Amino acid sequence: MAENLIDEIKRRQLELLGHQRLYHAEDAPEISDETYDQLARELEGLEAQLDPQHPLKRQSPLGKVGANPQRGFATVAHERPMLSLANIAGQASVHQFGERLASQLELKGAQAQGLRYAVDLKFDGLALSLRYRAGRLVMAATRGDGTLGEDVTANVEAARIVPLKINENNILGNEFEVRGEVFMARSDFKQLNANQQARGEKTFANPRNAAAGTMRQLDSSVAALRPLRFFAYDLFIGPSALAQQPSTHSQQLDALKRAGFPVCDIRCAEASIDQVIAFIDRAETARSDLDFDIDGVVVKLESLTLQEQLGYLARTPRFAVAYKWPSEQAMTRLVAIECQVGRTGAVTPVARLEPVRVGGVLVTNATLHNEGEIARKDLWLGDTVWVRRAGDVIPEVVAAVPELRPKDAKRFVMPSHCPVCQGVLERPAEEAVWRCVSGFSCSAQRVQALLHFAHRRALNIEGLGERLAEQLVERGMVRHLADLYKLTEADLLRLDRMGLKLARKLLDEIADSRTASLARFIFGLGIRHVGEKTAKDLALFFGRFDALRQASLEQLTQAPDVGPVVAQSIQRFLSTPALLAELDLLLECMNLQNPASEQAQSSLVNGPPNLFFGKTVVLTGELQFYSREQAQAIIESLGGRVTGSVSKRTDLLLAGQNAGSKLDKANSLGVTVIDEESFLGAIPPTERDHE
């Protein structure tokens, strides 16, 4: 296999995984759905040249649905996978969809023509799964990776966007699951951003980001205060729930509406293919007049029996597709390409455009993502280009118009040094992005690095917000992270909107952060590829920061879930001269706490045996005395590692009540299974304050 093909596939896979993470986990997409689909098709073509058993084939992001659940929420296993939908576009593709279904169902002539479809609007929000038992909401979860989602029950209850208890005339039965989309109306979004701006807080990029970001807040009071909405679009009823089960998708939506769930009335039932196409045309015309965002429609077979007969592929159902509309486009001139530097040093080219209105919004700038994207689209300075708003929000340069290229047009050349600090730019062989390696010594990275350091999951300096960080950096009061610990009351009182009470509170928080845990400290440094979980694993594995600094690549890869890419990123960060000096100054200010691994090792020598130290543990079922999150924290504090799925590497399965498939798999693999009583007996008394 040619090395350049392998390198290109690796680079494309990382790029696609990054876009999946941005869309599904961070609610901050950078490209349109059309561009993502194009990148996916290009990667699929490259991977087709690999042997089916090649490792790159098995790890491909093309087989992923959504993104891994975020840390901070308990993990929920979906009883039925939350799959994606295959995309289609154009009238011909609608006819082809109908013909394919008729062929798979072995229907011809009048029978094929007699197939009927339901058409629903495709909402641009965050998918949720809602489980009800005995008429009450018992679980709300995000899509996550399609198999495991995030438990956001508290946020859904606080937001009051769905019935928490079904009325006495419950027509849906004792146990059922509702799926739908949480979103924010355009009018509500506009008011929310106005309120955020008035308070000097960060505004949101678009309604989807606002809704998804709100639903992923660990503090449920945020969801209670923001104007979220919900539309139900699917229903799964227990087999013996109702005497008269709905037989079509549209009947399911009618039943949901009668039960009190919000259901969008703009839909089409029992439609022929021609009626489906007519509805799509009407919906596209009306989309700009709606008070919520849609990016297409969902077309599916009406008959639930036929849906069941057709079944599912690995990632998508056979009986349903998403008809996607292209974003609105306009033509303008590419005046210049400038480079911006982000928190991790990523240097992003940005197109400066002659002002043009796209979808009613004046666009002057558009991201170009990376040097490779510019080359792929063959963009020259001075070109006439097509521009659209990705997801109808983010401006994106679609393509150049070569026939209109002026004679004095020039190719773009990526700078070799940082445009802000003049530090060296580097691009790892398998990545598409150039990065400034100067770290915190680069002023462009300083504000975002300071905010990351102060994040509640890092050093937890709550009072250090974006506006304050910008002032500290702009006025030269914080040139190094260590300068944060030298700030005085007099320094802070010179800042805008800073009173004595607020200054003293912030200084107390900064002082408290000196005694952070090693895991929080590592996460707070903002090392690329090192998230909260990896930081905790590194702290447990190495025990002290000095050991981490001195670790070789081989030693780094021995830590849990640290592969070559993450190891190289850590070593590069810890060997950059400017960052080494930065760390030395910072460590003088810190009193890092001993990691749990040392406490756990000590308990092995001086106390009773520790059941969890060094073990990989999976949780399943319902625990009576602890939440999943509390149990996980206890296990990790004792040196154990909690994962979401059972495998040959699993050492222990903690099984609560109503344990399901994970228990069966653990038994088949010979994994040791303990119940909650055994778990309670294995917890040292000092750990029981988690209750």
Side-chain angles (χ1 to χ4, degrees):
M1 185 66 62
E3 288 187 11
N4 58 348
L5 175 62
I6 296 295
D7 289 343
E8 180 66 9
I9 290 175
K10 288 180 179 178
R11 186 186 70 78
R12 293 294 190 100
Q13 287 183 343
L14 284 171
E15 183 180 12
L16 212 62
L17 280 169
H19 287 307
Q20 287 179 346
R21 175 178 51 78
L22 285 168
Y23 185 88
H24 292 287
E26 298 185 14
D27 310 311
E30 290 183 346
I31 61 175
S32 67
D33 289 351
E34 295 99 320
T35 301
Y36 177 87
D37 292 340
Q38 176 63 32
L39 292 174
R41 286 192 293 270
E42 291 172 1
L43 176 58
E44 188 175 21
L46 292 171
E47 290 183 355
Q49 302 175 52
L50 295 173
D51 182 278
Q53 300 304 315
H54 196 285
L56 284 177
K57 196 88 167 180
R58 294 197 297 271
Q59 71 184 38
S60 174
L62 296 177
K64 286 177 67 67
V65 175
N68 293 331
Q70 291 191 44
R71 296 283 293 174
F73 289 97
T75 300
V76 178
H78 296 302
E79 293 182 357
R80 301 168 185 80
M82 294 187 73
L83 303 178
S84 296
L85 291 172
N87 294 332
I88 63 172
Q91 289 189 11
S93 68
V94 180
H95 285 289
Q96 290 166 4
F97 172 62
E99 291 165 1
R100 175 169 59 79
L101 295 187
S103 174
Q104 291 172 338
L105 293 168
E106 298 182 350
L107 301 177
K108 295 180 180 180
Q111 286 184 316
Q113 295 294 321
L115 284 176
R116 288 295 175 262
Y117 305 87
V119 196
D120 303 315
L121 299 183
K122 187 175 181 298
F123 314 110
D124 194 12
L126 181 73
L128 290 183
S129 167
L130 310 172
R131 294 185 205 166
Y132 286 79
R133 197 170 295 134
R136 291 183 178 274
L137 176 70
V138 295
M139 179 68 70
T142 64
R143 181 193 303 275
D145 64 3
T147 302
L148 299 173
E150 302 143 342
D151 181 351
V152 292
T153 310
N155 285 340
V156 171
E157 290 175 341
R160 296 279 174 171
I161 52 177
V162 299
L164 304 183
K165 182 179 183 298
I166 307 301
N167 57 41
E168 293 180 1
N169 299 319
N170 179 11
I171 61 172
L172 300 180
N174 184 60
E175 191 165 340
F176 59 92
E177 178 183 356
V178 178
R179 288 182 178 174
E181 201 93 354
V182 62
F183 65 97
M184 193 172 288
R186 291 171 177 169
S187 55
D188 291 337
F189 169 74
K190 185 177 180 180
Q191 185 61 53
L192 173 65
N193 262 355
N195 295 340
Q196 293 283 107
Q197 194 168 23
R199 291 194 296 267
E201 298 176 2
K202 185 176 180 181
T203 57
F204 295 95
N206 54 61
R208 183 195 182 277
N209 287 18
T214 300
M215 195 49 58
R216 288 194 169 104
Q217 291 286 328
L218 293 175
D219 182 358
S220 59
S221 66
V222 176
L225 295 173
R226 288 185 182 164
L228 297 176
R229 305 192 189 194
F230 180 84
F231 275 145
Y233 58 64
D234 217 341
L235 172 65
F236 298 97
I237 300 175
S240 59
L242 297 175
Q244 186 174 359
Q245 295 268 18
S247 62
T248 68
H249 170 73
S250 295
Q251 288 175 9
Q252 285 186 327
L253 295 186
D254 292 339
L256 282 168
K257 187 173 182 179
R258 290 196 301 273
F261 289 89
V263 173
C264 183
D265 291 328
I266 305 173
R267 52 192 173 100
C268 187
E270 298 290 344
S272 66
I273 284 291
D274 289 339
Q275 289 170 327
V276 168
I277 292 172
F279 179 87
I280 291 172
D281 291 341
R282 291 197 303 273
E284 184 174 15
T285 301
R287 65 187 294 208
S288 59
D289 297 326
L290 297 175
D291 194 28
F292 52 88
D293 288 340
I294 60 174
D295 56 4
V297 301
V298 176
V299 185
K300 62 176 64 176
L301 275 176
E302 271 282 24
S303 169
L304 301 182
T305 301
L306 294 182
Q307 288 185 14
E308 186 79 16
Q309 186 175 335
L310 285 167
Y312 301 82
L313 297 171
R315 296 176 60 236
T316 60
R318 289 189 174 93
F319 53 81
V321 291
Y323 185 101
K324 304 290 284 291
W325 293 307
S327 302
E328 294 186 65
Q329 300 188 46
M331 193 180 286
T332 188
R333 191 171 72 89
L334 176 59
V335 177
I337 296 177
E338 298 175 2
C339 291
Q340 295 180 344
V341 184
R343 179 184 69 81
T344 62
V347 179
T348 304
V350 176
R352 304 304 183 194
L353 307 166
E354 284 188 351
V356 62
R357 287 202 168 272
V358 184
V361 175
L362 189 66
V363 173
T364 57
N365 306 312
T367 180
L368 295 171
H369 308 299
N370 55 61
E371 183 184 27
E373 185 80 355
I374 295 172
R376 188 174 72 82
K377 293 179 177 177
D378 191 29
L379 302 177
W380 292 45
L381 302 177
D383 268 348
T384 297
V385 295
W386 283 104
V387 179
R388 69 179 167 204
R389 295 171 65 214
D392 289 334
V393 177
I394 304 167
E396 176 188 25
V397 175
V398 181
V401 186
E403 56 269 27
L404 298 180
R405 179 169 292 155
K407 292 181 179 180
D408 60 349
K410 296 179 181 178
R411 286 188 179 276
F412 170 74
V413 178
M414 193 74 186
S416 58
H417 289 75
C418 175
V420 177
C421 72
Q422 301 306 309
V424 175
L425 299 185
E426 292 182 357
R427 190 185 78 179
E430 296 180 357
E431 295 188 14
V433 177
W434 288 87
R435 295 180 185 277
C436 170
V437 299
S438 300
F440 199 76
S441 60
C442 173
S443 61
Q445 300 177 57
R446 203 172 295 158
V447 171
Q448 293 304 316
L450 184 57
L451 288 170
H452 182 78
F453 186 75
H455 193 276
R456 67 178 182 275
R457 296 185 191 174
L459 279 293
N460 195 26
I461 307 174
E462 185 179 354
L464 185 53
E466 187 169 5
R467 291 190 65 177
L468 180 57
E470 288 173 351
Q471 288 189 72
L472 291 172
V473 171
E474 288 170 1
R475 300 189 186 196
M477 298 168 71
V478 175
R479 297 181 182 276
H480 309 280
L481 284 174
D483 292 341
L484 195 60
Y485 296 96
K486 300 174 184 177
L487 292 172
T488 66
E489 192 176 284
D491 292 332
L492 294 178
L493 289 175
R494 294 202 301 270
L495 301 176
D496 298 338
R497 302 174 68 179
M498 177 64 70
L500 182 60
K501 184 177 180 181
L502 193 59
R504 288 176 176 174
K505 183 175 184 293
L506 178 59
L507 288 174
D508 287 342
E509 291 173 356
I510 292 173
D512 290 343
S513 73
R514 290 177 182 269
T515 56
S517 69
L518 178 57
R520 282 179 172 266
F521 180 75
I522 294 172
F523 176 59
L525 293 177
I527 304 171
R528 190 158 177 260
H529 298 308
V530 177
E532 188 181 4
K533 183 178 184 302
T534 302
K536 186 176 292 186
D537 287 341
L538 290 168
L540 289 169
F541 187 81
F542 288 101
R544 294 187 177 278
F545 190 71
D546 284 345
L548 176 63
R549 290 180 75 169
Q550 297 163 12
S552 65
L553 275 176
E554 182 180 359
Q555 290 170 324
L556 286 168
T557 55
Q558 291 173 1
D561 288 343
V562 175
V565 173
V566 179
Q568 288 170 7
S569 179
I570 295 169
Q571 193 173 71
R572 188 182 300 115
F573 183 94
L574 296 176
S575 61
T576 301
L579 294 177
L580 283 175
E582 181 76 32
L583 281 172
D584 288 337
L585 290 171
L586 183 58
L587 287 167
E588 290 178 6
C589 305
M590 306 302 299
N591 178 26
L592 298 180
Q593 298 297 293
N594 288 334
S597 60
E598 293 185 2
Q599 298 169 7
Q601 288 169 335
S602 175
S603 73
L604 286 175
V605 176
N606 304 315
N610 180 346
L611 180 64
F612 306 107
F613 179 71
K615 301 293 179 62
T616 297
V617 186
V618 173
L619 310 180
T620 188
E622 299 172 6
L623 301 178
Q624 301 301 304
F625 294 95
Y626 294 99
S627 68
R628 289 271 193 94
E629 190 174 13
Q630 288 172 327
Q632 177 174 337
I634 292 172
I635 292 167
E636 290 177 343
S637 73
L638 295 171
R641 177 169 172 266
V642 177
T643 61
S645 58
V646 177
S647 70
K648 293 179 180 178
R649 296 183 179 181
T650 304
D651 298 303
L652 290 170
L653 179 79
L654 169 54
Q657 294 181 5
N658 302 318
S661 58
K662 290 182 183 178
L663 178 59
D664 296 335
K665 188 170 182 180
N667 288 328
S668 69
L669 293 174
V671 173
T672 301
V673 178
I674 61 171
D675 58 18
E676 189 169 8
E677 183 177 353
S678 300
F679 173 64
L680 294 172
I683 302 173
T686 55
E687 290 296 328
R688 293 183 183 173
D689 59 359
H690 285 85
E691 288 187 81

